[in-house]
Amino acid sequence: MTTDVTDTGLGTIRAGILGGGFMARVHRTAARDAGGELRAVATRSASGSRHAADELGAGRAETDVAALLDAADIDVVHICTPNATHADLALRALDAGKHVICEKPLATNAEDAKRLVDLAARRGRVAAVPFVYRYHPMVREARARIAQGDLGVLLTLDCSYLQDWMLLPTDDDWRVRSATGGASRAFADIGSHLCDLIEFVIGERIRSLSARTRRVFDERAGQTVDTEDIVAILVETESGALGTLLISQMAAGRKNALTLELHGSLQSLRFEQERPEELWVGMRQESRVLLRDPATAAPDSARLQRVPAGHAMGYQDAFNGFIADVYAAIGGSRPTGLPTFEDGYRSAVLTEAVLASAATGGRWTEVAA
């Protein structure tokens, strides 16, 4: 059942945010757009919490994580902290009876991610992971067209996610060290988005893969690096389609170039996240660019289009649609395509398969169901 994304059924959703960086600001904006109220923020320190609360416009700054999780006036906890803290914080939030939105990766290993899936089910809580590229309307349009058979039989995939923010040896971030970011960086950080989007759009899973990774610099800003910069993957889907995936955080000039190109026996489709208003449709006789238009879109695409054709929608709009769906689910609705902890677990399984294959020099590896 698909319901209006703004219908929570519970009135105002009261939110708490753990963390105070860029993603916390994105979550804050989306929560307010969905009609939520940001009651509290907590970071690693009381002073950091006060600063974040001022920056985010929260009702109050909690002294620590425990105080926020124990607060009776918070319905949902947004976890926007470094990767290695996600599993423990999500577990504590669920144990406190909160609904949870946890930034990816849900956990730095599949075992912990599965434990969170099971706990959320036992607690009866809404538990979601922001695979927000699902919420671009033209992604939903591509998905609908594939589901109705426009593509024909899926033959091949040519997909990539390219960034350049780690291009220089002076570029550094907590994500480059496994102690804080997990064993994988490039794949867990952005390859996870790419694979989630592929499986969501084509309606089937990656069955097996062969992966190679590369670490260009062993040190960044004078500190040791133990995670990968680049990943190249060959994949085979459940139906036998073959594909290539390139993931890099060192592609000069590419800021957030997530691209899906899918080739079928009748048509091809191409979506580029940096051009989210468009969907390229390729045929043997002709090719055309389909522009976003709620008047002609598939229903699941149209429901996410809050402005008329010609008024550009982008990343924050996609995030807003995701949070609105989470809040609707808290109210008892069942929005189509909501990424849950199950999807976060799937991402962890894929990450482990990629690392396992790369450790053998690229041996084909079956991906667990």
Side-chain angles (χ1 to χ4, degrees):
M1 176 179 67
T2 302
T3 59
D4 189 301
V5 295
T6 61
D7 178 18
T8 66
L10 290 177
T12 301
I13 299 294
R14 303 165 300 174
I17 294 180
L18 299 179
F22 167 74
M23 289 314 305
R25 295 193 295 276
V26 173
H27 280 249
R28 179 276 318 271
T29 300
R32 287 181 174 167
D33 181 77
E37 180 183 348
L38 180 55
R39 288 291 179 91
V41 174
T43 68
R44 289 176 294 181
S45 67
S47 60
S49 297
R50 289 192 296 272
H51 177 75
D54 289 341
E55 288 285 311
L56 299 176
R60 66 179 183 276
E62 291 290 10
T63 55
D64 55 28
V65 168
L68 187 145
L69 295 179
D70 290 340
D73 65 338
I74 290 176
D75 303 305
V76 59
V77 174
H78 297 242
I79 299 174
C80 307
T81 57
N83 299 352
T85 67
H86 290 177
D88 177 65
L89 292 175
L91 185 150
R92 292 169 62 185
L94 289 169
D95 275 339
K98 311 301 186 187
H99 303 283
V100 182
I101 301 169
C102 182
E103 273 297 325
K104 52 86 199 144
L106 175 59
T108 55
N109 63 74
E111 182 180 359
D112 285 347
K114 184 60 167 64
R115 187 176 298 116
L116 290 168
V117 170
D118 295 340
L119 180 59
R122 290 198 304 271
R123 294 286 190 266
R125 301 291 87 182
V126 174
V129 176
F131 288 121
V132 297
Y133 299 115
R134 294 184 179 196
Y135 281 83
H136 283 302
M138 300 312 284
V139 164
R140 299 293 178 113
E141 185 67 28
R143 183 172 185 253
R145 287 170 178 249
I146 290 173
Q148 69 188 19
D150 289 9
L151 208 71
V153 176
L154 181 64
L155 303 175
T156 57
L157 308 86
D158 181 16
C159 305
S160 60
Y161 199 157
L162 307 176
Q163 298 176 332
D164 71 355
W165 68 290
M166 299 301 291
L167 181 63
L168 305 177
T170 52
D171 295 326
D172 191 33
D173 186 82
W174 57 263
R175 292 173 179 83
V176 307
R177 284 166 283 281
S178 61
T180 48
S184 171
R185 176 175 26 107
F187 185 83
D189 189 23
I190 59 176
S192 58
H193 275 297
L194 180 63
C195 289
D196 177 79
L197 202 62
I198 290 169
E199 294 189 337
F200 179 69
V201 170
I202 68 175
E204 59 178 293
R205 288 187 163 185
I206 295 168
R207 179 171 61 194
S208 59
L209 57 83
S210 169
R212 296 295 298 267
T213 63
R214 183 180 180 190
R215 182 187 309 129
V216 179
F217 301 121
D218 291 327
E219 288 189 357
R220 288 182 176 276
Q223 298 192 61
T224 301
V225 174
D226 61 353
T227 55
E228 81 283 353
D229 298 301
I230 299 166
V231 188
I233 312 173
L234 299 176
V235 299
E236 181 181 17
T237 71
E238 291 170 324
S239 68
L242 298 177
T244 60
L245 281 58
L246 180 62
I247 297 112
S248 175
Q249 294 178 323
M250 300 185 66
R254 293 300 186 185
K255 304 306 177 185
N256 203 55
L258 186 161
T259 302
L260 266 62
E261 184 163 311
L262 311 170
H263 312 126
S265 57
L266 300 177
Q267 290 184 358
S268 296
L269 294 174
R270 181 181 177 90
F271 171 79
E272 300 179 39
Q273 198 279 152
E274 290 186 336
R275 302 173 68 92
E277 298 280 277
E278 302 176 1
L279 183 66
W280 178 81
V281 182
M283 294 163 285
R284 186 164 184 174
Q285 300 83 3
E286 64 171 342
S287 298
R288 60 177 179 266
V289 174
L290 183 70
L291 301 179
R292 182 185 64 79
D293 188 345
T296 57
D300 193 35
S301 172
R303 81 176 182 94
L304 298 174
Q305 300 189 37
R306 300 183 178 186
V307 294
H311 298 73
M313 295 181 64
Y315 173 76
Q316 186 67 60
D317 295 293
F319 215 105
N320 292 357
F322 162 70
I323 296 296
D325 267 8
V326 176
Y327 285 13
I330 291 171
S333 300
R334 297 176 60 188
T336 299
L338 177 66
T340 67
F341 274 18
E342 287 277 4
D343 300 296
Y345 168 62
R346 173 64 180 171
S347 177
V349 168
L350 280 163
T351 301
E352 291 188 352
V354 166
L355 293 180
S357 176
T360 65
R363 181 180 301 167
W364 278 93
T365 301
E366 297 293 316
V367 181

